[in-house]
Amino acid sequence: MGNFLTKNFVWLLAAGVGVYFYKQVDEKSKAITKPIGNFLAQVQFAINNSGDIKYPNAGFFLNSEKLDYTLKVNNLVWFDAIEKLHPAHKVFLDEIFDSDKRLKNQYRPLLNGLVDADSIQTVKKG
């Protein structure tokens, strides 16, 4: 084994340096390409006269599978998507979740049901 390391030390070192530089370039390229991709998407929206998909009516289904056993959001992609679908959703989410994105106890009845202005008011009234 010692003979193998002695003969191939340079190649092993080169491979390690290559992996290090690859990871550095990969992280930096993501920082550069994401804004470019967002810009190109906006250009395409302008050309096609389209945009992000928005819900016509405020309200969403609060699926219990999106929360863990402590009722904390376990799927941040879902949370962000719901927030972006309608401007009122941010207000709803801020109302029913605390700063740790955990469902407030008083809003447990909304689990697996529709969350909208009416259902939130119903829960508040008790």
Side-chain angles (χ1 to χ4, degrees), residues 33-48:
T33 58
K34 185 170 184 174
I36 293 170
N38 289 339
F39 172 74
L40 292 174
Q42 295 303 320
V43 169
Q44 181 182 3
F45 288 160
I47 292 170
N48 293 339

Side-chain angles (χ1 to χ4, degrees), residues 1-10 12:
M1 184 70 176
N3 194 18
F4 172 79
L5 291 176
T6 308
K7 288 182 178 181
N8 296 305
F9 177 74
V10 173
L12 293 171

Side-chain angles (χ1 to χ4, degrees), residues 91-103:
V91 176
F92 298 163
L93 292 170
D94 288 345
E95 175 67 32
I96 67 172
F97 288 99
D98 64 13
S99 60
D100 292 330
K101 292 187 172 64
R102 182 167 286 129
L103 186 67

Side-chain angles (χ1 to χ4, degrees), residues 68-111:
D68 65 11
Y69 70 96
T70 67
L71 299 180
K72 184 174 181 178
V73 174
N74 64 9
N75 188 333
L76 293 177
V77 173
W78 167 83
F79 190 88
D80 292 339
I82 291 296
E83 187 175 51
K84 292 177 182 176
L85 284 174
H86 194 281
H89 287 181
K90 179 167 177 31
V91 176
F92 298 163
L93 292 170
D94 288 345
E95 175 67 32
I96 67 172
F97 288 99
D98 64 13
S99 60
D100 292 330
K101 292 187 172 64
R102 182 167 286 129
L103 186 67
K104 295 176 184 174
N105 281 333
Q106 74 186 70
Y107 295 109
R108 282 181 178 222
L110 297 178
L111 274 173

Side-chain angles (χ1 to χ4, degrees), residues 3-72:
N3 194 18
F4 172 79
L5 291 176
T6 308
K7 288 182 178 181
N8 296 305
F9 177 74
V10 173
W11 294 111
L12 293 171
L13 183 62
V17 169
V19 168
Y20 171 79
F21 280 116
Y22 173 77
K23 286 187 176 185
Q24 296 299 315
V25 169
D26 187 46
E27 289 175 16
K28 290 183 175 122
S29 68
K30 286 179 184 176
I32 293 169
T33 58
K34 185 170 184 174
I36 293 170
N38 289 339
F39 172 74
L40 292 174
Q42 295 303 320
V43 169
Q44 181 182 3
F45 288 160
I47 292 170
N48 293 339
N49 196 21
S50 62
D52 293 331
I53 297 172
K54 300 281 186 189
Y55 275 15
N57 301 318
F60 60 91
F61 187 78
L62 182 59
N63 190 338
S64 61
E65 293 175 2
K66 306 300 182 192
L67 308 175
D68 65 11
Y69 70 96
T70 67
L71 299 180
K72 184 174 181 178

